[in-house]
């Protein structure tokens, strides 16, 4: 009868519906678990560890073997320094006055006079002084200054204005030779290192232009060498 058939169909379909519902719920739960962990599990925030590296560290230029073969740095070039120079002595000025004195004495033989005798004594004395000074005084150019020294002693003291006979190259304002470089009897230079209140002392009185202390000394050294050093060391010179 119909009343008995319908319940069988309903109860017969119930297991299939239950299975379908369970499967759908399982799929939904699985898809949700893929984004949100179930069961309140803690989310791990551990950082990813850096990949292991070998003992060879990369150099700045990307070469791991650079520390085993270091680059050679180029040598730093420096301007060569000018070596210290001691000017050679020159006895030609002493010889010149010796010949001049001898000639004066020869002339006085024929015309003797007191003045001739005095002149001969003075001439020989001056000749001896020039020879001794040429032998013992040295003119030195070092890295910073020009100086006069006595052999076996230190820097000489200036007998006119005091202080050491040593002058920085930067203090030079002029130098020259009289009467000329080829026939020099006197060597001259002017500097501003000496205190200004002393500029009129000694030969400075003869300087009408001013602007420094004047120095003269006899040409008892190699004039060519000293002229070369004045120029090489950058000493100022007023051109004629």
């Amino acid at each position: 009868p119909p009343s008995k058939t319908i319940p069988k169909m309903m109860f017969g379909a119930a297991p299939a519906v239950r299975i379908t519902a369970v499967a759908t719920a399982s799929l939904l739960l699985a898809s949700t678990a893929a984004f949100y962990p179930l069961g309140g599990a803690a989310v791990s925030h551990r950082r990813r560890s850096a990949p292991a590296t070998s003992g060879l560290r990369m150099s700045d230029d990307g070469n791991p073997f650079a520390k085993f073969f270091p680059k050679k740095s180029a040598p730093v070039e420096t301007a060569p320094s000018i070596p210290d120079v001691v000017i050679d002595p020159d006895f030609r000025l002493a010889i010149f006055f010796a010949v001049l004195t001898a000639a004066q004495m020869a002339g006085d033989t024929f015309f003797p006079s007191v003045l001739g005798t005095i002149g001969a004594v003075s001439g020989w004395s001056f000749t001896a002084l020039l020879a001794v000074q040429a032998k013992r005084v040295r003119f030195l150019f070092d890295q910073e200054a020009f100086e006069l020294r006595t052999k076996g002693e230190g820097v000489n003291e200036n007998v006119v204005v005091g202080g050491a006979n040593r002058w920085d190259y930067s203090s030079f304002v002029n130098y020259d030779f009289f009467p000329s470089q080829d026939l020099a009897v006197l060597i001259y230079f002017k500097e501003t290192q000496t205190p200004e209140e002393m500029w009129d002392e000694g030969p400075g009185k003869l300087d009408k232009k001013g602007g420094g202390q004047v120095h003269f000394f006899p040409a008892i050294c190699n004039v060519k060498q000293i002229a070369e050093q004045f120029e090489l060391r950058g000493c100022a010179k007023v051109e004629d």
Side-chain angles (χ1 to χ4, degrees), residues 92-125:
R92 287 182 295 178
L93 189 61
I95 294 172
F96 169 76
F97 277 96
V99 172
L100 191 65
T101 302
Q104 185 265 326
M105 288 182 64
D108 194 56
T109 302
F110 300 98
F111 304 98
S113 66
V114 175
L115 290 178
T117 303
I118 294 175
V121 172
S122 300
W124 286 120
S125 298

Side-chain angles (χ1 to χ4, degrees), residues 2-56:
S3 57
K4 295 181 179 180
T5 303
I6 294 173
K8 286 183 180 179
M9 292 178 64
M10 291 178 62
F11 287 106
V17 171
R18 287 197 296 270
I19 292 172
T20 302
V22 170
T24 303
S26 299
L27 289 174
L28 180 61
L29 184 63
S31 62
T32 305
F35 298 98
Y36 300 99
L38 295 176
V43 179
S44 174
H45 294 286
R46 290 182 300 171
R47 295 179 180 178
R48 296 180 62 186
S49 59
T53 58
S54 64
L56 296 177

Side-chain angles (χ1 to χ4, degrees), residues 87-90 92 134 139 187 217-224 226:
I87 305 300
D88 294 334
D90 192 334
R92 287 182 295 178
F139 300 84
I187 299 173
F217 52 89
I220 54 176
C221 62
N222 189 306
V223 173
K224 181 179 179 181
I226 202 169

Side-chain angles (χ1 to χ4, degrees), residues 185-204:
V185 175
L186 289 174
I187 299 173
Y188 148 86
F189 71 93
K190 182 191 288 187
E191 46 80 18
T192 57
Q193 183 171 300
T194 301
E196 187 172 354
E197 60 270 16
M198 305 294 291
W199 289 357
D200 290 333
E201 298 292 331

